[in-house]
Amino acid sequence: MGLATAAKMLADSGLRFSSHCRGGFFTVAEGPERRASIDNNRSAIEETATLAAAGAPGSTAVLVLVAGGLPAGSRDLAGARERVRDAIGELAPEAAAAGVQLAIEPLHPMYASDRCVVSTLGQALDIAADFDGSVVGAAVDTFHIWWDPDVITQVERAGREGRIATYQVCDWSTPLASDVLLSRHYPGDGVIDFGPITRAVMASGYDRDIEVEIFNEEIWATDPAVAVQRTAAGFASAVSPHLG
């Protein structure tokens, strides 16, 4: 529908804008494909700024970055991560000028080959450390980081550094779907202990919206009213008691 129409619809709705998902996918070597990716991210920065301005008070201009996986034929994981750092370095001045915070999102290691070579919150923060926290932060997503033995230490680090750009919750349950991208569940319907992570996020002073981000075909097919009820109930039981 185009950015202008989307912004008007958002403004008319009275809803807040919490984040734009997603930018990123810039792990390929220099060349036309990488240039196209960088240009796409420039457009995403513009979209983020415009939509955040159109949203209700409390909206946040956050652009979530999913780094991208290993380029075809490559086994150079470290090199791919360095290209992520380089791309963010190219985009950070433009994000700062637009008032947009880039949020590096670590994804579970099962996605390292095809979607995201940044697998832990610590890795995301190490990349972000080269930049001002108001410009480059991290997305804290329970689905992707719950397994990490250092997760609380890294959430606390992110809080100290002022880099928690968004907090996203959903649950993990096995067996995973055949498409592992679509394996998220309502909070409380799986094995994640939301208490320690949520308390660590809130102790950092985080005061933005908490996003319930669920990719699941069965849930998408549910009547929207039922999905909203289930989301609210799951959040109330699994996350709300730890908000302080």
Side-chain angles (χ1 to χ4, degrees):
M1 67 184 65
L3 180 57
T5 299
K8 184 179 186 304
M9 291 178 66
L10 178 59
D12 292 345
S13 75
L15 294 171
R16 287 192 300 275
F17 179 83
S18 54
S19 73
H20 189 16
C21 183
R22 59 171 170 66
F25 280 77
F26 32 46
T27 53
V28 295
E30 187 56 57
E33 184 179 353
R34 182 172 176 84
R35 287 299 99 200
S37 172
I38 295 295
D39 287 344
N40 183 63
N41 278 271
R42 290 192 174 105
S43 296
I45 289 171
E46 177 189 1
E47 291 164 359
T48 303
T50 300
L51 292 170
S59 295
T60 48
V62 172
L63 173 60
V64 175
L65 301 180
V66 176
L70 282 173
S74 174
R75 294 182 174 86
D76 183 8
L77 196 56
R81 290 182 182 134
E82 282 305 309
R83 288 191 289 275
V84 172
R85 188 190 306 271
D86 292 343
I88 292 173
E90 190 171 347
L91 294 167
E94 298 178 39
V100 170
Q101 186 179 26
L102 305 175
I104 305 169
E105 180 169 18
L107 267 59
H108 190 280
M110 66 181 173
Y111 299 107
S113 64
D114 65 339
R115 297 192 68 81
C116 189
V117 296
V118 179
S119 300
T120 68
L121 183 56
Q123 289 172 344
L125 294 173
D126 287 346
I127 294 172
D130 288 345
F131 310 96
D132 186 275
S134 65
V135 180
V136 182
V140 176
D141 185 328
T142 57
F143 181 82
H144 292 303
I145 65 173
W146 70 274
W147 59 273
D148 186 349
D150 293 327
V151 62
I152 301 304
T153 298
Q154 294 303 326
V155 171
E156 292 170 345
R157 172 190 171 189
R160 288 194 305 272
E161 296 177 2
R163 297 192 189 273
I164 303 179
T166 182
Y167 180 39
Q168 300 174 336
V169 297
C170 70
D171 221 332
W172 176 290
S173 182
T174 49
L176 300 177
S178 57
D179 183 348
V180 293
L181 184 66
L182 307 180
S183 292
R184 294 165 175 252
H185 296 269
Y186 294 111
D189 280 7
V191 301
I192 296 178
D193 184 356
F194 291 95
I197 299 175
T198 302
R199 290 193 294 270
V201 169
M202 301 312 294
S204 75
Y206 182 82
D207 60 357
R208 300 177 176 183
D209 288 323
I210 299 174
E211 301 175 322
V212 181
E213 185 185 52
I214 300 176
F215 301 146
N216 182 306
E217 286 187 322
E218 289 185 11
I219 292 175
W220 289 343
T222 302
D223 178 89
V226 174
V228 168
Q229 289 176 332
R230 287 288 310 277
T231 299
F235 189 93
S237 63
V239 181
S240 292
H242 310 289
L243 296 180

